[in-house]
Amino acid sequence: MKNFPIAKSRRLRSTPYTDRIERQGVSSYTVYNHMLLPASFVSAEVDYHHLKEFVQVWDVAAERQVEISGKDSAQLVQLMTCRDLSKSKVGKCYYAPIIDGQGNLVNDPIINKLAEDRWWLSIADSDVIFFAKGLASGNKFDVDIKEPDVNILAVQGPLSDQLMSKVFGEKICQLKFFNFDYFEFKGVKHFIARSGWSKQGGFEIYVENAEAGKDLYDYLFEAGLEFNVKPGCPNLIERIEGALLSYGNDFDNRDNPFEANFEKYTNLDSEVEFLGKERLKKIRNQGVTRKLMGVKIDHNQIDMYCEKTLFDDDNNIVGFVRSATYSPTFKKVIGIAMINKPYWNSKNSFKIEINEKIHLGNICDLPFI
Ligand code: THG
């Protein structure tokens, strides 16, 4: 299928770093939260090998923040997620599914607890702010809800501790996974978490002052020369291998948290109140009839513009591939698929049509690596 350039406008928002990544050679964009999100620089495969060996700086400003503050903020945040936040602590980040009244998924943000009455929901690609405002109005909550101008820079890759300690000082190496703290660069304090949408390790800098952020961006490349730093972005190959899920690709509002393997973040036995709780208890008791699993396909190329159906030998539907890519590590196509229960045994094989030809594959557990 032919690719087309994307027509920019005010509605398709740029980031404070857009002119920089364009100078550095961004080669494709995707759209995320109505904002430009880089999708490749050299190529997904070249970017992938570099990410696994060195360190990259990513413009992930499209991971927007929904700030919820005020007297009833903790109650509203808890109402939106099936993860029990009653023992949550300031300074910690919580990966937490957002659920609607039907028990279906709305988003999968990282929830950052800034204070007992101030939260940032670092959202995936759906309009959580209107969901939050609707719930606040309907419940007459005393809260303030806004999208602050926060533009995240992620530093990802095995050399990220070395680069970050050179810029922010040794202390940053003590920061634990999914914790945040404030670190200074040129007199400006930045909110930094040890997190990021790769399995290679790293940090996310929640830049609140765009001018200071651009200065920091440039310095990361200057200081990173000795570590072979390059511009990068969330990498399709790396994130599928590590099974980092993507709302809108792997799961969406048709799916519940059990189907999306979010049991770990679904707490139905505590006292906290959230949307869809009774529905989710029913689903848990009945058990789900499909869930996300891995697939490996004996082929070297796949385009994913829509779900692709998997069939067994009798042409029964096995499931649907939702994300896939060629993996240079496995030397075949790997993907994340919604698999029907009769086929959960990971030895099952299937047929799939790619570019009018039938290929064979088999089901496997996630993650791949
Ligand atoms: N960072 C920030 N905001 C984000 C993302 C991010 N918003 C959008 C999107 N990514 C949200 N989705 C995810 C998905 C997975 C993870 C983080 C955000 C993730 N998962 C860890 C894993 O699967 O290994 C587990 C985390 C845990 O168990 O606590 O990191 O990347 N700011």
Side-chain angles (χ1 to χ4, degrees):
M1 201 181 273
K2 190 171 175 284
N3 277 316
F4 293 87
I6 195 160
K8 289 193 195 170
S9 70
R10 225 179 68 74
R11 188 170 51 68
L12 203 185
R13 302 177 290 179
S14 294
T15 87
Y17 322 112
T18 300
D19 56 346
R20 283 170 169 71
I21 66 171
E22 293 187 351
R23 247 183 278 136
Q24 289 171 315
V26 63
S27 55
S28 65
Y29 280 120
T30 185
V31 178
Y32 198 85
N33 288 320
H34 318 279
M35 202 168 211
L36 292 170
L37 175 65
S40 62
F41 280 82
V42 182
S43 70
E45 200 165 322
V46 171
D47 297 351
Y48 164 82
H49 290 297
H50 179 270
L51 171 62
K52 298 220 312 182
E53 195 173 346
F54 301 104
V55 55
Q56 298 183 345
V57 177
W58 298 359
D59 169 4
V60 282
E63 294 168 355
R64 302 310 288 169
Q65 307 308 300
V66 174
E67 178 172 321
I68 303 182
S69 58
K71 191 168 73 59
D72 298 328
S73 59
Q75 201 183 344
L76 174 56
V77 172
Q78 182 61 77
L79 189 60
M80 294 197 288
T81 179
C82 57
R83 183 161 180 179
D84 181 357
L85 295 176
S86 61
K87 294 182 185 70
S88 60
K89 291 189 176 64
V90 174
K92 287 197 182 283
C93 323
Y94 298 89
Y95 184 41
I98 303 291
I99 308 291
D100 66 19
Q102 283 71 51
N104 284 330
L105 286 150
V106 169
N107 202 285
D108 66 329
I110 293 177
I111 298 182
N112 296 301
K113 185 170 182 176
L114 286 87
E116 292 301 331
D117 61 354
R118 188 162 172 247
W119 309 73
W120 277 350
L121 276 54
S122 187
I123 61 168
D125 187 23
S126 71
D127 294 310
V128 172
I129 193 164
F130 301 129
F131 189 62
K133 286 189 179 195
L135 288 168
S137 297
N139 288 288
K140 299 192 168 48
F141 284 148
D142 180 0
V143 288
D144 185 33
I145 301 170
K146 63 180 184 191
E147 185 188 298
D149 192 24
V150 172
N151 297 284
I152 300 181
L153 282 177
V155 175
Q156 299 286 298
L159 304 189
S160 42
D161 273 73
Q162 288 180 60
L163 174 55
M164 288 294 277
S165 60
K166 188 171 166 187
V167 177
F168 290 99
E170 284 293 321
K171 220 184 82 209
I172 203 156
C173 296
Q174 288 159 26
L175 193 64
K176 292 203 183 81
F177 186 60
F178 268 53
N179 280 231
F180 69 82
D181 208 339
Y182 296 85
F183 299 87
E184 202 174 300
F185 172 71
K186 288 197 186 168
V188 179
K189 272 199 189 307
H190 294 279
F191 170 123
I192 301 180
R194 191 185 282 275
S195 58
W197 216 55
S198 89
K199 289 284 194 180
Q200 306 310 313
F203 300 86
E204 292 183 300
I205 310 162
Y206 288 67
V207 172
E208 293 174 78
N209 172 331
E211 285 314 308
K214 290 185 217 181
D215 204 26
L216 172 60
Y217 186 95
D218 295 337
Y219 188 69
L220 284 166
F221 283 92
E222 209 179 301
L225 260 181
E226 62 171 310
F227 309 118
N228 191 24
V229 69
K230 298 262 189 257
C233 51
N235 184 277
L236 182 66
I237 307 167
E238 198 272 347
R239 79 96 181 158
I240 290 181
E241 287 180 354
L244 288 169
L245 298 186
S246 168
Y247 182 85
N249 286 318
D250 308 315
F251 68 94
D252 56 39
N253 195 233
R254 298 169 298 171
D255 310 317
N256 67 53
F258 296 106
E259 292 166 334
N261 299 331
F262 287 141
E263 288 88 348
K264 206 171 132 192
Y265 315 108
T266 305
N267 308 123
L268 300 178
D269 300 318
S270 81
E271 292 306 304
V272 296
E273 196 191 323
F274 54 83
L275 291 180
K277 190 173 182 184
E278 291 312 310
R279 201 59 216 284
L280 288 179
K281 281 185 181 170
K282 262 197 198 129
I283 294 168
R284 180 181 61 179
N285 292 341
Q286 286 168 358
V288 294
T289 57
R290 47 182 207 143
K291 69 174 181 188
L292 291 180
M293 294 190 73
V295 290
K296 289 182 183 158
I297 300 165
D298 300 324
H299 193 45
N300 59 8
Q301 180 276 327
I302 191 166
D303 289 322
M304 288 299 300
Y305 302 110
C306 50
E307 281 194 331
K308 283 193 160 52
T309 313
L310 307 174
F311 297 98
D312 72 6
D313 285 337
D314 301 322
N315 288 329
N316 299 307
I317 293 178
V318 168
F320 300 90
V321 183
R322 293 189 168 177
S323 293
T325 179
Y326 176 73
S327 160
T329 300
F330 291 92
K331 304 213 168 5
K332 51 176 68 176
V333 169
I334 61 168
I336 296 170
M338 190 57 89
I339 301 294
N340 292 330
K341 191 169 179 179
Y343 302 93
W344 284 355
N345 182 327
S346 65
K347 286 188 210 81
N348 271 312
S349 57
F350 56 75
K351 298 185 291 186
I352 179 173
E353 188 184 315
I354 303 171
N355 292 337
E356 290 157 26
K357 286 210 178 85
I358 302 293
H359 297 274
L360 297 178
N362 60 280
I363 292 161
C364 62
D365 291 327
L366 292 171
F368 292 89
I369 289 180

